[in-house]
Amino acid sequence: MTIIRVKFRRGDEVKFISHLDLMKVFERAIRRARLPIAYSQGFNPHPGMVFGLPLGVGVTSEAEYGDFEITDDGMSPQEFADRLNLQLPKGIEVLSAKKKMSKQNIMATIAASEYVVIVGTPAECSQKALKTAIDKYLSQEEIVVKKKTKNGVKDTDIRGMIFDLNFELQPCENFNIIRFTALVSAGSKANLKPDLLIESLCGYLGFEYEIDRIHRTKLFVRSQDQLLDPMEEVV
Amino acid sequence: MSVKLSDALLKSVEKPSRYTGNEWNSVIKDPKSVDIRFAFCFPDSYEVGMSHLGMKILYHLLNERNDCYCERVFAPWTDMEEKMRQNNIPLYGLESKDPIKDFDFVGFTLQYEMSFTNIINMLDLAGIPLTSDKRSDGDSFVCAGGPCAYNPEPLADIIDFFMMGEGEEIINEVMDAYAKWKGTGRTRQEFLEDIVKIEGIYVPAFYDVSYNEDGTIKSFVPKKPDYPVKIKKRIIKDMDKVYFPEKVIVPYTDIVHDRIMLEVFRGCTRGCRFCQAGFIYRPVREKSHKRLLELANKLEESSGYEEISLTSLSTSDYTELHELTTGLLEEMEEKKVNLSLPSLRIDSFSLDLMEKAQKVRKSGLTFAPEAGTQRLRDVINKGVTEEDLLNAVSLAFNGGWNGVKLYFMLGLPTETMEDVEGIADLAYKVVNAYKNVPREKKGKGLNVTVSTSSFVPKAFTPFQWEPQDSREVLNEKQMFLKSKIRSKQVTYNYHENRLSLLEAVFARGDRKTCKVLLKAWEMGCKFDSWGEHFKFDVWMKAFEDCGVDPYFYATRKRDYEELLPWDHIDIGVSKKYLISESKKALEGKVTPNCRVNCGGCGATIFDSGICGGN
Ligand code: SF4
């Protein structure tokens, strides 16, 4: 058995499909490509595949990851990727592939994610004032937001989940476009959704705003207290 | 110019992938490269429409033509409709996102009567005039086909032309005629005059209807002598040679039937007297198992689907079922493709087959005895005896199955309370059959479900003259049956019979009922087959406002002499035959199925299928 890890992108064409539906897309593409995927035993056999962190509906990404278990140890990751790409619908594309070395489940090791969020706001703002305000926002001990969970809404402190937050201001005539880059905690233990962060920040700044788009640029796994690109991971 | 769907809008609706297209195997063309743009409209949700085989066939068939670009259109769900109206987004084709108002054809497939208000709603959302008399030269042609088109009259004011019968034959001829007409500067009327010469085309506006004082139809006359007096349905002669797509669209979101559908034959040999499909699709025409295996392989390869199902009106009757299923099981096993079997007639072969196909799952078996007593089963010509049923369930119970679903109809012609009670008796006999199975063989915990729906008389059946039971009587029968079923092992489900009343109206309605459809839509009716949207009181108000009595259509017994609203349609099966079947029904006499003995229904005129040689 070999596990192939792929990095793929998810474009505008497919950004409205759910995570569950995305897995079906891969399953059927793999079947069309006749790739030697391993199936689980039992009444309802499942293909051996595990994906990284589910992406919100409407979010695009250039850093999605999936691990695929195949039965042909001789197949090169490149061949796997090439054959899969021919069968994937527009908007989904495997960017790179490698043999996975570690035993760890990708889902369990994800620790952080970087997003670009484009926000439009009618609020007046200058580069300097915005920088000061965001610094002040980040210097708070505690940033409490209302987080939706399975059991209703819960107050959550997200300060510790924000690792890095940068912005670029692009003033338009009577409108400002702010391009935020946020590195936030991700994964099963602590996950901060970018829209929630923006809501909290704009609330703090007193901005009316509209999110134009959210795009995931990076995803990291934790390995011995280090954040690593899932394709680099060697452990 | 294609419509703009903002992220914010799409994010705010349920299941946005219903509206974004781009699915695997969907056909994308450059609109500038074609002469004809066709909007194939399914007047229900994406999930229902995408599960429909006819749509898959015709979509790919039209797109095989280089001069035509066919796109899919579904009824947007109410949340999306609201957003579209707020933002002035017209109804658009899923492939190009262009407004369908600019298409040459807007074609609807009519699968059930309760989707009719969605047609009106979709035309309105598209910005196309709702009735044919309001459309002029720049407007799309609105056409329709499908089983409900066999009584086209309730939609006569809305649809420009109907295509009768199986679309694969006729639609290309219409497209050819259109390609010739387009750009000649000839009028809309002239195009309709061109195609009315094609067999199977019905242009309602070309006919005058007059009525008797009692509301029945007095005459139905073509406005010009060269319009056909009878419109003959079109059928496929050779099912092996007919076009069938070798790929199907694989949707992103879950649909009702998310699998490969392999159509094994059309029509049905059994002749159940309530079943419209059994008559309008005559004669039976089969595909060869070789062709089916070939198609199954191609479809599996191009779709990546993990399941294949066999479809037809009665798959057990397929003459090459053995070869087909053995072949499929063999070839699909290594590909890890499941075979999903429809409710087969239960014998040792089919049980063995089900065992192989489903491996472990031993729940759900379904049977449709339709009526509770042998007398009534003879009336409806359901060729199933109690013994057949009990043998079948015993076989199944011995094989470890423990769930049985039994389907019945309430309100069938001549039904008495004894027949209704017979349903409960039958259910108990099934329970007893389970008790008689040795413990070590049977599965744990029996579960019998009895479901009843209400009989709806349909055009082109031997029961087309029969009244529907009033809602009061149907309620009474439901309650009575409920009181007779008092076992933990039997569950009783019954259908909403207010919906059945409306179905009965539009299944046999004439042109006067068209007004009611428009009125009901105006008052907010749509998605009527979805319980949460069905507004019975509004419908009743619409009938009242239009001065149309629903009971005239639903619960009135008709004479054989009465001119019926669909008498100008010719399905091949003669009215004489339907009358003789109707009489035999009332006498409780059965008619053997086509394979045992040809009953001489008239379908030999097609010179095809089972009766081709006769
Ligand atoms: S002509 Fe005879 S065999 Fe053919 S469909 Fe009619 S009854 Fe059946």
Side-chain angles (χ1 to χ4, degrees):
Chain A
M1 289 289 182
T2 299
I3 291 178
I4 294 192
R5 171 164 295 177
V6 308
K7 176 181 185 180
F8 64 95
R9 92 181 168 82
R10 168 167 132 160
D12 281 310
E13 298 91 336
V14 284
K15 69 180 170 189
F16 286 107
I17 69 177
S18 70
H19 184 67
L20 222 65
D21 290 341
L22 186 79
M23 303 216 288
K24 265 227 170 102
V25 167
F26 270 95
E27 187 178 340
R28 288 172 180 164
I30 283 168
R31 302 179 74 102
R32 291 193 292 266
R34 300 278 187 247
L35 289 168
I37 195 86
Y39 278 88
S40 66
Q41 297 296 309
F43 167 57
N44 213 345
H46 283 290
M49 44 182 215
V50 181
F51 287 85
L53 189 67
L55 205 54
V57 168
V59 181
T60 54
S61 168
E62 59 193 82
E64 295 302 290
Y65 300 87
D67 288 347
F68 298 88
E69 193 177 340
I70 57 170
T71 53
D72 175 3
D73 295 332
M75 178 173 281
S76 76
Q78 194 54 45
E79 186 190 347
F80 184 87
D82 290 345
R83 278 170 59 182
L84 191 53
N85 269 336
L86 285 177
Q87 299 295 332
L88 283 167
K90 244 168 109 183
I92 306 178
E93 186 193 352
V94 173
L95 304 169
S96 58
K98 66 153 200 172
K99 271 203 175 123
K100 183 188 170 224
M101 298 304 173
S102 83
K103 291 255 148 43
Q104 276 158 330
N105 178 328
I106 178 139
M107 237 180 339
T109 52
I110 282 171
S113 181
E114 183 186 88
Y115 296 94
V116 168
V117 186
I118 316 264
V119 169
T121 174
E124 247 178 77
C125 46
S126 70
Q127 178 77 25
K128 228 179 123 189
L130 198 55
K131 170 108 181 60
T132 319
I134 291 177
D135 283 346
K136 234 176 114 189
Y137 170 77
L138 290 176
S139 67
Q140 299 174 94
E141 287 266 294
E142 219 182 30
I143 302 175
V144 177
V145 299
K146 302 234 173 279
K147 209 176 164 185
K148 265 193 230 137
T149 66
K150 270 175 218 139
N151 318 314
V153 182
K154 218 176 90 191
D155 278 345
T156 311
D157 176 16
I158 59 166
R159 179 58 193 95
M161 300 188 208
I162 311 168
F163 301 150
D164 201 3
L165 180 60
N166 291 303
F167 73 95
E168 249 173 65
L169 183 64
Q170 297 163 0
C172 286
E173 266 167 51
N174 41 23
F175 207 74
N176 285 299
I177 293 174
I178 313 173
R179 186 178 189 275
F180 290 103
T181 309
L183 182 65
V184 294
S185 171
S188 48
K189 284 194 204 91
N191 192 49
L192 178 54
K193 286 194 173 160
D195 29 354
L196 195 65
L197 168 60
I198 296 303
E199 187 187 308
S200 152
L201 176 63
C202 289
Y204 179 82
L205 300 174
F207 281 9
E208 256 180 62
Y209 73 102
E210 205 173 289
I211 294 181
D212 178 58
R213 59 178 300 150
I214 306 177
H215 181 69
R216 181 187 283 162
T217 43
K218 281 174 192 152
L219 196 67
F220 296 98
V221 290
R222 185 179 302 280
S223 176
Q224 296 175 339
D225 271 341
Q226 258 190 320
L227 287 185
L228 290 178
D229 180 324
M231 298 310 272
E232 301 287 304
E233 181 198 38
V234 276
V235 194
Chain B
M1 256 283 278
S2 57
V3 302
K4 265 271 4 98
L5 299 162
S6 74
D7 281 14
L9 186 151
L10 287 168
K11 252 191 260 181
S12 72
V13 299
E14 198 192 314
K15 300 192 193 156
S17 52
R18 288 164 164 170
Y19 311 108
T20 51
N22 271 315
E23 304 95 324
W24 185 255
N25 284 339
S26 59
V27 180
I28 303 294
K29 292 189 180 185
D30 174 5
K32 287 196 265 340
S33 73
V34 298
D35 295 328
I36 309 170
R37 299 201 57 187
F38 197 107
F40 198 113
C41 302
F42 196 100
D44 208 322
S45 71
Y46 178 91
E47 289 78 358
V48 177
M50 282 297 288
S51 305
H52 186 251
L53 185 60
M55 176 167 211
K56 294 177 206 264
I57 297 175
L58 292 173
Y59 171 83
H60 288 288
L61 175 91
L62 284 169
N63 277 321
E64 291 270 297
R65 294 175 68 108
N66 286 328
D67 63 350
C68 181
Y69 187 5
C70 175
E71 304 187 33
R72 294 162 296 147
V73 185
F74 303 96
W77 197 246
T78 46
D79 58 346
M80 181 63 172
E81 181 191 337
E82 200 177 300
K83 299 279 169 185
M84 288 170 75
R85 290 193 189 272
Q86 273 166 13
N87 295 284
N88 289 318
I89 296 169
L91 194 61
Y92 58 88
L94 210 43
E95 278 69 13
S96 67
K97 316 283 184 301
D98 288 340
I100 63 168
K101 191 184 195 313
D102 303 333
F103 285 28
D104 301 271
F105 291 96
V106 170
F108 288 93
T109 175
L110 312 177
Q111 299 298 319
Y112 28 86
E113 291 83 7
M114 297 322 286
S115 67
F116 289 175
T117 51
N118 275 11
I119 296 178
I120 303 170
N121 199 40
M122 286 168 84
L123 288 173
D124 181 67
L125 257 176
I128 295 170
L130 302 186
T131 52
S132 55
D133 57 343
K134 299 267 164 38
R135 289 178 208 129
S136 50
D137 283 342
D139 289 321
S140 322
F141 283 100
V142 178
C143 54
C148 287
Y150 285 94
N151 176 22
E153 296 306 282
L155 293 171
D157 296 344
I158 293 164
I159 305 293
D160 293 322
F161 67 92
F162 288 90
M163 291 174 264
M164 295 297 165
E166 292 164 351
E168 296 100 320
E169 286 268 311
I170 188 165
I171 211 162
N172 269 327
E173 290 171 27
V174 175
M175 293 304 111
D176 289 343
Y178 185 79
K180 266 197 212 139
W181 171 86
K182 195 178 181 179
T184 57
R186 293 166 69 237
T187 63
R188 190 176 177 86
Q189 167 87 8
E190 282 171 302
F191 170 66
L192 293 172
E193 303 235 332
D194 286 352
I195 58 167
V196 85
K197 296 191 187 95
I198 299 173
E199 196 165 81
I201 296 292
Y202 170 51
V203 181
F206 286 0
Y207 298 80
D208 280 322
V209 189
S210 65
Y211 299 90
N212 296 311
E213 255 171 44
D214 65 359
T216 55
I217 295 171
K218 186 173 181 185
S219 68
F220 187 93
V221 230
K223 286 183 179 162
K224 285 189 186 168
D226 53 338
Y227 301 155
V229 178
K230 279 259 181 186
I231 297 99
K232 265 198 190 150
K233 84 169 183 203
R234 298 284 295 273
I235 68 156
I236 305 298
K237 286 212 164 137
D238 186 337
M239 289 294 284
D240 272 351
K241 295 209 183 90
V242 68
Y243 174 80
F244 197 85
E246 294 183 353
K247 49 187 187 178
V248 285
I249 297 175
V250 184
Y252 291 122
T253 169
D254 256 347
I255 59 172
V256 182
H257 297 293
D258 204 10
R259 58 184 79 95
I260 294 167
M261 287 190 262
L262 212 52
E263 186 191 23
V264 295
F265 63 87
R266 284 204 192 153
C268 179
T269 53
R270 312 224 134 224
C272 296
R273 291 175 180 136
F274 54 84
C275 176
Q276 187 188 39
F279 288 90
I280 59 181
Y281 295 124
R282 280 186 179 215
V284 162
R285 288 142 296 146
E286 294 191 336
K287 279 187 179 152
S288 67
H289 80 274
K290 287 212 179 76
R291 171 74 177 136
L292 287 168
L293 286 174
E294 176 189 76
L295 279 175
N297 276 315
K298 285 189 172 144
L299 286 163
E300 192 276 327
E301 230 171 83
S302 65
S303 70
Y305 264 128
E306 55 287 321
E307 190 165 301
I308 295 184
S309 71
L310 306 181
T311 73
S312 78
L313 290 170
S314 143
T315 300
S316 289
D317 289 334
Y318 179 51
T319 46
E320 297 174 19
L321 188 64
H322 210 297
E323 293 89 333
L324 176 65
T325 49
T326 334
L328 279 176
L329 285 172
E330 216 166 83
E331 288 183 33
M332 297 301 156
E333 169 101 71
E334 49 177 314
K335 292 175 185 156
K336 297 266 190 309
V337 177
N338 296 324
L339 183 59
S340 124
L341 293 165
S343 51
L344 295 172
R345 205 170 34 255
I346 304 297
D347 50 30
S348 49
F349 164 66
S350 64
L351 280 177
D352 182 46
L353 190 65
M354 276 186 267
E355 191 116 23
K356 277 190 200 134
Q358 318 195 323
K359 304 217 176 72
V360 208
R361 192 167 21 194
K362 290 212 166 160
S363 45
L365 283 175
T366 49
F367 300 90
E370 310 288 2
T373 59
Q374 193 56 43
R375 185 200 67 81
L376 193 54
R377 282 194 295 272
D378 287 346
V379 169
I380 63 177
N381 207 38
K382 186 85 200 178
V384 175
T385 63
E386 189 175 296
E387 207 189 327
D388 291 341
L389 175 74
L390 296 178
N391 280 342
V393 291
S394 301
L395 257 174
F397 291 153
N398 271 297
W401 270 270
N402 59 351
V404 182
K405 284 198 182 109
L406 302 170
Y407 287 102
F408 297 92
M409 254 186 261
L410 284 180
L412 285 162
T414 77
E415 184 183 58
T416 63
M417 285 305 187
E418 213 172 289
D419 299 309
V420 178
E421 195 168 355
I423 296 175
D425 294 345
L426 207 52
Y428 282 119
K429 284 178 187 156
V430 170
V431 173
N432 275 332
Y434 179 79
K435 287 188 181 140
N436 292 335
V437 174
R439 175 169 309 214
E440 64 280 7
K441 278 193 175 169
K442 62 186 171 195
K444 265 207 192 90
L446 173 69
N447 199 338
V448 179
T449 310
V450 170
S451 298
T452 63
S453 60
S454 307
F455 165 67
V456 177
K458 299 260 183 173
F460 294 111
T461 65
F463 289 162
Q464 63 181 357
W465 297 276
E466 296 299 323
Q468 183 179 52
D469 270 353
S470 71
R471 280 174 45 224
E472 291 71 33
V473 172
L474 286 170
N475 284 342
E476 206 181 300
K477 287 177 176 172
Q478 286 172 344
M479 290 310 121
F480 177 66
L481 182 53
K482 206 174 157 192
S483 72
K484 290 287 164 196
I485 296 178
R486 297 194 168 276
S487 157
K488 282 216 182 77
Q489 285 154 310
V490 186
T491 318
Y492 175 42
N493 297 324
Y494 48 90
H495 278 253
E496 154 78 87
N497 53 45
R498 296 183 305 177
L499 199 67
S500 315
L501 169 70
L502 290 180
E503 279 169 353
V505 172
F506 295 105
R508 293 187 297 174
D510 56 23
R511 287 188 182 190
K512 287 187 257 177
T513 60
C514 199
K515 275 196 304 220
V516 184
L517 285 176
L518 287 158
K519 187 82 200 176
W521 167 76
E522 238 170 61
M523 302 198 302
C525 291
K526 57 191 167 198
F527 284 111
D528 300 295
S529 52
W530 296 76
E532 70 262 46
H533 292 298
F534 180 51
K535 304 184 180 83
F536 184 68
D537 297 339
V538 178
W539 273 101
M540 288 300 115
K541 181 88 182 32
F543 278 105
E544 205 182 303
D545 287 3
C546 296
V548 172
D549 172 15
Y551 302 100
F552 174 80
Y553 299 96
T555 55
R556 179 174 62 92
K557 166 108 182 153
R558 288 140 172 83
D559 289 336
Y560 293 137
E561 289 74 40
E562 182 178 331
L563 190 60
L564 301 170
W566 52 92
D567 271 345
H568 53 289
I569 308 293
D570 180 3
I571 63 159
V573 175
S574 68
K575 196 166 180 179
K576 210 176 100 209
Y577 181 75
L578 293 178
I579 292 177
S580 82
E581 277 295 288
S582 154
K583 289 182 175 158
K584 278 172 85 177
L586 301 180
E587 292 162 18
K589 284 194 190 138
V590 299
T591 300
N593 86 53
C594 294
R595 284 189 207 284
V596 175
N597 189 6
C598 167
C601 76
T604 38
I605 58 157
F606 295 109
D607 202 16
S608 159
I610 185 169
C611 46
N614 291 7

